[in-house]
Amino acid sequence: MEIDEKLLIRLEKLSNIDLKDSEKELIKNDLNDLLKYMEILENVDTEGIEEMVSPIKVNSSILRQDQVKKFENIEDIIKNFPESKDNLLRIPGIHI
């Protein structure tokens, strides 16, 4: 896969950003370099290697139990949003 001008324009729209012409070439090169690196990683032989979530061994006794806590101050959150109705917050939509 290669990032071409058409795909870059699509990614720009999906990201909701406007790139300058000088930035487009830099971004396109960076994304292509990233894809080349991912291809290298795809070819790494991982046969017999145990999966891990983190390279750090975690003792489960260190972690706390999840506890549900009721949040009482909903009004403070709601008044920080420009638009709300019936305790629902209006946020900008994603336009593709």
Side-chain angles (χ1 to χ4, degrees):
M1 175 181 222
E2 186 175 329
I3 306 294
D4 58 5
E5 192 68 30
K6 183 179 175 184
L7 181 55
L8 188 63
I9 290 169
R10 181 163 165 72
L11 291 172
E12 191 176 5
K13 286 180 183 177
L14 287 171
S15 305
N16 199 22
I17 58 175
D18 292 318
L19 296 173
K20 299 175 188 167
D21 289 338
S22 59
E23 295 172 319
K24 285 183 182 183
E25 193 62 34
L26 289 171
I27 295 292
K28 187 167 72 169
N29 290 337
D30 285 348
L31 288 174
N32 280 318
D33 287 345
L34 183 61
L35 288 174
K36 287 177 190 171
Y37 183 69
M38 296 304 292
E39 286 177 17
I40 291 170
L41 290 178
E42 276 183 4
N43 295 323
V44 173
D45 181 19
T46 58
E47 189 67 37
I49 305 294
E50 186 178 335
E51 293 179 23
M52 68 169 77
V53 176
S54 170
I56 301 170
K57 298 240 184 224
V58 177
N59 184 349
S60 62
S61 65
I62 294 174
L63 303 176
R64 63 173 172 77
Q65 291 292 324
D66 287 337
Q67 297 175 351
V68 177
K69 293 183 180 179
K70 182 149 176 76
F71 187 76
E72 303 291 338
N73 225 346
I74 296 172
E75 291 79 23
D76 283 346
I77 293 176
I78 292 173
K79 69 181 176 186
N80 283 316
F81 273 78
E83 294 184 55
S84 65
K85 180 180 178 184
D86 300 328
N87 286 345
L88 300 175
L89 307 174
R90 183 179 185 110
I91 59 171
I94 299 173
H95 304 285
I96 298 175

